[in-house]
Amino acid sequence: MSDASLNPTDLESDAQFGDYFALLKPRVMTLVVFTALVGLLAAPAEIHPFVAFCAILFIAVGGGASGALNMWWDADIDALMRRTAKRPVPSGRVTGQEALSIGLALSGFSVVFLGLATNWVAAGLLAFTIFFYVVIYTMWLKRWTPQNIVIGGAAGAFPPMIGWAAATGGISVESLLMFSLTFLWTPPHFWALALFMRKDYDNAGVPMLTVTHGRPATRRHVLIYTVLLAALALATGFTSAGGPLYLSVAIVLNVMFLKGAWEIWQRDEHMAETDNYAVEKSFFKLSLLYLFLHFGALLAEAAVDRAGILWAGF
């Protein structure tokens, strides 16, 4: 892969600290940090606050490393999409070689130090997550199959499992439920985005479902995956990870999410173009709150359980 066309040598680099920080995809990192934190705090194990801080820091660094390597590899198609053209590498502010070096260095740093700070199960999961996101998703699935988001969604679903493993040294049903929640949330979240950003994927030649199968098929898939997601989210309320507080939040959110998916499915392109994809954009915004609020409710349930245990000890 060559960066010559994207970062001509005759252009003087004008990178600032913010450009290097942007390589780490800070908005994506926010979700990684939060879900990992929930996994760590919800785990039935005591962990020293400083160790917990280090664990979340190294998980965040690993997530940022994945973002830098993704930007290095995807610089050619990022330059063709309006949504990503201003990223540091395609805009020429940071060279591809710099992004690669930073990504590799941070990957090694995060995995080794997470292992030293917590345990090697958590470190192994972090290493696999970086590999999965960069190699399996970015280098292979993204440009090869319309199921890129479905399979590749696993990369974003691992952080709560890593947080749980950092606290307990293992994997459990609860951490798998957190993984599944994020895994099933990813397709409707990104397909809603693709519905009103299809031209970007057309221009870049990325085989997103909207490009390969059209928007009507994408609308059906949004509804199907939302139904599956709602079933899992509600069922989680009846497991050891859930409880009445979580279930109350899940019922409200999933009714809203199902309503949005149903409305998307009923629309055609004329309706969508008439209101500038208002329903699709609203669903996408809701999807951002959906995951944060579900994980927030899981964290609240864990806090209630711990408070009950402490109260019973008096």
Side-chain angles (χ1 to χ4, degrees):
M1 179 175 178
S2 172
D3 295 294
S5 61
L6 298 171
N7 302 289
T9 55
D10 58 335
L11 288 180
E12 183 179 354
S13 176
D14 192 28
Q16 305 294 322
F17 173 79
D19 297 318
Y20 292 111
F21 184 64
L23 279 177
L24 309 184
K25 295 190 174 181
R27 284 192 294 181
V28 175
M29 192 191 297
T30 302
L31 180 61
V32 168
V33 168
F34 181 64
T35 57
L37 181 64
V38 173
L40 185 145
L41 295 180
E46 294 297 327
I47 182 170
H48 192 280
F50 181 71
V51 175
F53 170 78
C54 290
I56 296 303
L57 174 63
F58 298 138
I59 293 170
V61 171
S66 299
L69 292 171
N70 171 269
M71 287 200 193
W72 158 68
W73 186 264
D74 276 351
D76 57 337
I77 60 176
D78 281 350
L80 300 175
M81 297 195 291
R82 180 166 52 91
R83 183 172 61 90
T84 57
K86 293 183 180 180
R87 286 177 173 175
V89 179
S91 66
R93 300 192 307 277
V94 176
T95 69
Q97 186 60 47
E98 286 177 313
L100 174 61
S101 299
I102 291 170
L104 291 175
L106 292 182
S107 294
F109 171 84
S110 62
V111 171
V112 170
F113 278 88
L114 180 62
L116 293 173
T118 59
N119 58 76
W120 295 105
V121 173
L125 283 172
L126 179 59
F128 180 74
T129 301
I130 296 171
F131 171 81
F132 192 96
Y133 183 70
V134 175
V135 178
I136 304 299
Y137 170 67
T138 301
M139 295 184 177
W140 179 36
L141 294 173
K142 186 173 183 178
R143 305 185 189 218
W144 176 67
T145 172
Q147 294 300 307
N148 46 20
I149 287 302
V150 178
I151 306 170
F158 279 115
M161 290 184 67
I162 302 171
W164 186 282
T168 66
I171 298 171
S172 70
V173 172
E174 292 86 354
S175 67
L176 288 171
L177 285 170
M178 295 182 199
F179 170 92
S180 300
L181 190 63
T182 309
F183 181 75
L184 286 177
W185 164 85
T186 303
H189 166 72
F190 276 101
W191 283 334
L193 173 68
L195 283 169
F196 59 86
M197 297 293 291
R198 177 182 167 175
K199 288 184 179 179
D200 268 10
Y201 296 108
D202 278 333
N203 293 339
V206 177
M208 189 65 79
L209 195 64
T210 48
V211 177
T212 60
H213 290 69
R215 290 181 180 174
T218 304
R219 294 176 186 280
R220 288 196 302 272
H221 278 71
V222 168
L223 179 60
I224 291 168
Y225 274 85
T226 300
V227 170
L228 294 174
L229 172 62
L232 173 74
L234 294 174
T236 300
F238 298 97
T239 69
S240 58
L245 176 60
Y246 167 84
L247 191 58
S248 299
V249 171
I251 289 172
V252 173
L253 285 173
N254 283 281
V255 167
M256 295 172 64
F257 217 48
L258 285 167
K259 178 177 179 292
W262 179 265
E263 291 174 348
I264 285 177
W265 177 62
Q266 287 187 312
R267 285 158 65 84
D268 57 29
E269 285 312 295
H270 175 71
M271 297 170 64
E273 290 175 359
T274 298
D275 63 11
N276 193 28
Y277 295 91
V279 172
E280 292 79 3
K281 291 177 180 178
S282 177
F283 182 87
F284 177 75
K285 291 177 181 178
L286 176 61
S287 72
L288 296 172
L289 286 175
Y290 179 98
L291 202 64
F292 274 103
L293 292 177
H294 272 82
F295 272 86
L298 288 172
L299 182 58
E301 286 288 359
V304 169
D305 289 344
R306 290 199 177 197
I309 292 172
L310 290 174
W311 180 259
F314 283 104

